[in-house]
C-alpha cells in the first residue's frame, strides 16, 4: 500500500529484470520460506531456547560476507563470533525436561540463522543498487506466495489454514504478530538509514533477550540458568561482531 501510494510499485517489475533483483529473489527464498519456516519449527520444538540460537545469524553473516563480499574479519569480529559459539554451547548444555525434540528444534534454529545470514548478504548486494522499499516488497511478496502456494500444499496444511482463518483467537494473535513484524521491519530499515547499520544491527540483536523474557513472562516458558547465561553471552558476542564499542564511546565523547 505504501509503495502504491508513493508510485514505487511499478519498480518491482523493472527491478526483477535486473541481476540485483534476481539476487533479492534468491535471498527472499532462503530467508523467507526456508529460514522463517525453520525458525517456527525451532520454536515449536525447543521453545525459547531457539531464539538466542537464531540470533547467531550475525555470526554466519560475518562469515558469508567474508566469503561472498570479500569483507575482512577483524580480530574484534572474530572474538565476537567465538563468544557467540560459547553462548550456543551454554544454552544446549542442559536439556529442558519433557522436550523430546529439543535437539531437532535447536538444529532448526541454526538453519534459520544460516538462512537469515545468507538473506542479509544477498539483500546487502541487491539493496546497494535497488530501492530498499521495493526490495522489502519483493521479499515479502515472494515469501508469502511460496508459503501459500508451494509449502502449505506440500505439508498438507491447507485444511489447517482454513480452520485457523475461521478461529478467532488464533487469527487475532497472528494478525497482531504480523503487524508487529511489519512495524519491526520498517523500524529496522529506518534505523539502518539514520544511525547506521552497525549500531542498528547491535540493537536489533537484543531480540534474543526480549524473546526469552517475553516467553518467560507471558507463556510461562520453563527456563534453566543456562538459557539466561547463554542468551546474555550470545548478545554480547553479537554486539561485538556488529559494532566496535570503543568507537561508539569515542563518538559519544566527541
Amino acid at each position: 500500500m505504501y509503495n502504491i501510494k508513493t508510485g514505487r510499485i511499478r519498480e518491482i517489475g523493472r527491478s526483477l529484470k535486473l541481476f540485483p533483483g534476481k539476487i533479492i529473489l534468491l535471498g527472499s527464498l532462503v530467508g523467507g520460506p526456508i529460514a522463517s519456516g525453520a525458525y517456527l519449527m525451532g520454536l515449536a520444538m525447543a521453545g525459547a531456547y531457539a531464539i538466542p540460537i537464531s540470533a547467531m545469524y550475525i555470526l554466519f553473516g560475518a562469515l558469508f560476507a567474508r566469503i561472498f563480499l570479500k569483507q575482512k574479519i577483524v580480530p574484534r569480529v572474530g572474538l565476537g563470533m567465538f563468544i557467540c559459539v560459547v553462548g550456543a554451547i551454554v544454552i544446549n548444555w542442559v536439556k529442558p525436561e519433557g522436550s523430546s525434540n529439543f535437539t531437532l528444534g535447536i538444529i532448526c534454529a541454526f538453519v534459520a540463522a544460516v538462512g537469515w545470514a545468507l538473506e542479509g548478504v544477498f539483500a546487502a548486494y541487491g539493496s546497494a543498487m535497488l530501492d530498499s522499499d521495493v526490495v522489502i516488497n519483493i521479499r515479502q511478496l515472494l515469501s508469502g506466495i511460496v508459503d501459500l502456494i508451494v509449502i502449505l500444499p506440500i505439508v498438507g496444511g491447507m485444511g489447517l489454514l482454513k480452520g485457523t482463518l475461521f478461529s478467532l483467537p488464533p487469527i487475532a494473535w497472528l494478525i497482531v504478530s504480523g503487524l508487529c513484524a511489519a512495524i519491526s521491519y520498517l523500524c529496522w530499515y529506518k534505523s539502518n538509514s539514520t544511525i547506521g547499520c552497525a549500531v542498528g544491527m547491535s540493537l536489533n540483536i537484543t531480540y534474543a533477550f526480549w524473546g526469552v523474557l517475553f516467553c518467560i513472562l507471558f507463556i510461562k516458558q520453563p527456563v534453566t540458568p543456562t538459557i539466561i547465561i547463554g542468551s546474555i553471552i550470545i548478545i554480547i558476542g553479537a554486539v561485538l561482531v556488529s559494532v566496535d564499542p570503543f568507537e561508539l564511546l569515542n563518538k559519544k565523547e566527541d
Side-chain angles (χ1 to χ4, degrees):
M1 290 173 64
Y2 173 75
N3 281 341
I4 289 173
K5 183 179 179 180
T6 57
R8 288 185 174 92
I9 197 70
R10 64 175 67 95
E11 293 295 315
I12 291 179
R14 186 187 69 83
S15 299
L16 291 176
K17 294 178 182 179
L18 304 175
F19 181 72
K22 293 178 173 62
I23 293 295
I24 292 298
L25 284 178
L26 180 60
S28 301
L29 287 173
V30 174
I34 296 175
S36 296
Y39 179 59
L40 290 175
M41 291 175 63
L43 286 174
M45 291 184 282
Y49 291 78
I51 298 174
I53 297 298
S54 69
M56 293 177 66
Y57 78 86
I58 196 168
L59 183 158
F60 295 110
L63 285 174
F64 294 143
R66 176 70 182 89
I67 295 171
F68 298 114
L69 302 179
K70 307 304 179 184
Q71 295 179 1
K72 292 183 178 179
I73 298 178
V74 298
R76 168 183 56 81
V77 173
L79 176 61
M81 292 164 66
F82 174 76
I83 291 173
C84 284
V85 173
V86 171
I89 294 173
V90 171
I91 285 176
N92 291 277
W93 198 264
V94 178
K95 179 180 176 180
E97 296 181 3
S99 299
S100 58
N101 294 321
F102 177 76
T103 302
L104 181 58
I106 293 298
I107 292 173
C108 287
F110 270 110
V111 172
V114 172
W116 286 334
L118 284 171
E119 179 191 9
V121 172
F122 294 146
Y125 177 84
S127 297
M129 288 164 273
L130 300 174
D131 190 313
S132 61
D133 289 324
V134 176
V135 168
I136 295 175
N137 212 153
I138 293 173
R139 194 270 192 207
Q140 302 294 8
L141 275 176
L142 180 66
S143 178
I145 290 171
V146 171
D147 278 332
L148 185 62
I149 298 178
V150 180
I151 303 298
L152 275 177
I154 289 176
V155 300
M158 296 303 291
L160 181 60
L161 174 63
K162 183 179 178 181
T164 303
L165 291 174
F166 290 98
S167 181
L168 185 57
I171 198 65
W173 283 114
L174 287 173
I175 290 173
V176 171
S177 66
L179 289 172
C180 289
I183 294 170
S184 175
Y185 259 94
L186 291 172
C187 291
W188 162 239
Y189 277 82
K190 183 67 175 178
S191 68
N192 286 342
S193 63
T194 54
I195 61 176
C197 215
V199 180
M201 189 176 293
S202 64
L203 292 174
N204 177 65
I205 217 67
T206 61
Y207 83 86
F209 169 78
W210 298 112
V212 172
L213 178 63
F214 293 149
C215 282
I216 295 171
L217 292 177
F218 299 118
I219 62 175
K220 308 302 180 184
Q221 168 75 43
V223 295
T224 62
T226 52
I227 188 177
I228 303 297
I229 297 171
S231 298
I232 294 172
I233 291 174
I234 286 181
I235 290 172
I236 292 173
V239 169
L240 276 178
V241 169
S242 61
V243 67
D244 186 344
F246 295 106
E247 185 178 335
L248 281 180
L249 291 174
N250 290 333
K251 285 183 178 179
K252 287 182 179 179
E253 292 176 358
D254 294 339

